Amino acid sequence: MTDLFAKRRARLLALKALRDGQSHPALDNTLAAPCPACGAVASKRELAKSLYVCPRCGHHNPVGAYYRLRLVLDPGTFRELGERIGARDPLNFPGYGERLDDAQRRTGLTEAAVTATGRLDGRKVAVGVLDGRFLMGSMSAAVGEKVAQLVEYAAKYKLPLILFSASGGARMQEGILSLMQMAKTAAALERFSQKGGVYLSVLTDPTTGGVTASFASLGDVILAEPGALIGFAGPRVIRQTIHQTLPEGFQRAEFLQEHGFVDEVVPRAELRETLARLLRLHGKGGGR
């Protein structure tokens, strides 16, 4: 009962932060952890003001799903979908149930994906976000189901679709049931595309494994945040496999843009307007 109360409280705090237009946790002038890129130290208030981008070097720190939605959606328009679809332990994998409980308690999420509808610059959209705090944003059967249902919802109501990826790949504790989600999400997106739907994919740090090999790479337009690690296998695995030195910045967003995999690298502060402009150009998303 205590664990259930803690999970619900964490979730309510996250939702309140989204509703009230505040970051979560509360802002103050205590120092945050040093920037992992340059080592600079800023206050939590300074980081929040810069949208959790390092004021010194521009490193884009990961952010939670509800905070990401607050940055993108018009205030007061958020409506969550699929909130009852939560993580399960279908294979009774040793220790997995305890890890799920811990992730739910810490994050207030039921799973690594949050899906919703809302308005972006007045246009109604269907939007999904993977949250790296929940088991590295890995794709479980529940995550795949939430993404597939969101795609189907967007198709049914003729809404533009936006997906933010941040993942370590398929969730190994669910075995083949996790890997099946690659085919399921890709098939849902193919049906969505056949109906003329517009899909904007945003890759954040990191986007790897089965998520990269499925829905993250299928956008009509693919955007990425600066410095995001994007790939299937990690650079260390590739280096050990091919026994060659990899190019500078290999698998980073800027390198992938140069080689045609990413259409545009967009700083976080400009992402909302970039998405809104793309929606205007495509003429999707309903009336104002």
Side-chain angles (χ1 to χ4, degrees):
M1 183 63 70
T2 302
D3 284 351
L4 180 61
F5 176 78
K7 292 176 188 177
R8 287 178 175 172
R9 184 175 184 276
R11 179 176 174 77
L12 288 172
L13 286 173
L15 286 169
K16 184 178 185 300
L18 175 63
R19 247 189 345 261
D20 297 344
Q22 299 172 349
S23 60
H24 181 67
L27 307 180
D28 55 39
N29 284 315
T30 59
L31 297 180
C35 172
C38 70
V41 178
S43 71
K44 292 180 180 178
R45 187 181 297 273
E46 288 173 321
L47 269 181
K49 186 177 180 180
S50 65
L51 308 183
Y52 295 92
V53 176
C54 176
R56 177 176 174 181
C57 72
H59 172 74
H60 282 53
N61 292 289
V63 295
Y66 289 118
Y67 182 78
R68 175 78 67 182
L69 289 166
R70 185 184 77 81
L71 296 180
V72 172
L73 297 178
D74 298 347
T77 66
F78 167 83
R79 183 171 74 87
E80 188 165 357
L81 301 173
E83 60 267 34
R84 294 184 180 276
I85 302 175
R88 297 289 185 271
D89 183 8
L91 303 181
N92 294 317
F93 193 93
Y96 182 40
E98 290 78 4
R99 292 193 65 188
L100 289 176
D101 286 342
D102 178 65
Q104 290 173 339
R105 188 165 48 249
R106 285 187 299 100
T107 65
L109 303 174
T110 58
E111 247 297 356
V114 175
T115 55
T117 61
R119 289 187 177 270
L120 199 171
D121 194 32
R123 298 174 183 273
K124 192 170 183 181
V125 297
V127 58
V129 184
L130 295 189
D131 194 318
R133 299 172 303 160
F134 196 108
L135 298 185
M136 297 181 65
S138 51
M139 183 164 61
S140 64
V143 168
E145 181 65 17
K146 293 185 79 166
V147 171
Q149 285 194 13
L150 180 70
V151 176
E152 291 165 357
Y153 184 95
K156 180 178 179 179
Y157 293 101
K158 296 181 171 57
L159 300 178
L161 174 69
I162 304 171
L163 290 175
F164 291 86
S165 298
S167 179
R171 193 171 299 170
M172 65 178 185
Q173 293 92 339
E174 297 190 18
I176 191 64
L177 298 175
S178 174
L179 295 174
M180 287 167 58
Q181 307 312 308
M182 296 170 62
K184 182 164 72 177
T185 55
L189 283 167
E190 173 61 19
R191 294 190 294 270
F192 177 72
S193 179
Q194 290 295 327
K195 293 181 179 180
V198 173
Y199 166 35
L200 309 179
S201 178
V202 185
L203 313 181
T204 70
D205 186 45
T207 298
T208 61
V211 169
T212 302
S214 57
F215 65 84
S217 301
L218 297 176
D220 297 299
V221 178
I222 300 178
L223 308 177
E225 286 195 328
L229 176 67
I230 303 164
F232 183 67
R236 182 175 57 187
V237 173
I238 296 174
R239 186 166 51 245
Q240 292 173 346
T241 302
I242 66 175
H243 304 293
Q244 294 181 20
T245 301
L246 302 175
E248 183 69 25
F250 178 69
Q251 290 188 315
R252 294 293 171 178
E254 294 76 8
F255 183 91
L256 294 176
Q257 182 187 10
E258 291 175 5
H259 291 78
F261 185 84
V262 167
D263 294 304
E264 190 70 32
V265 176
V266 184
R268 189 171 293 163
E270 301 172 15
L271 190 53
R272 173 183 157 86
E273 175 53 35
T274 299
L275 292 169
R277 186 168 64 251
L278 287 169
L279 293 179
R280 290 194 294 270
L281 288 171
H282 285 86
K284 300 290 182 179
R288 289 180 175 274

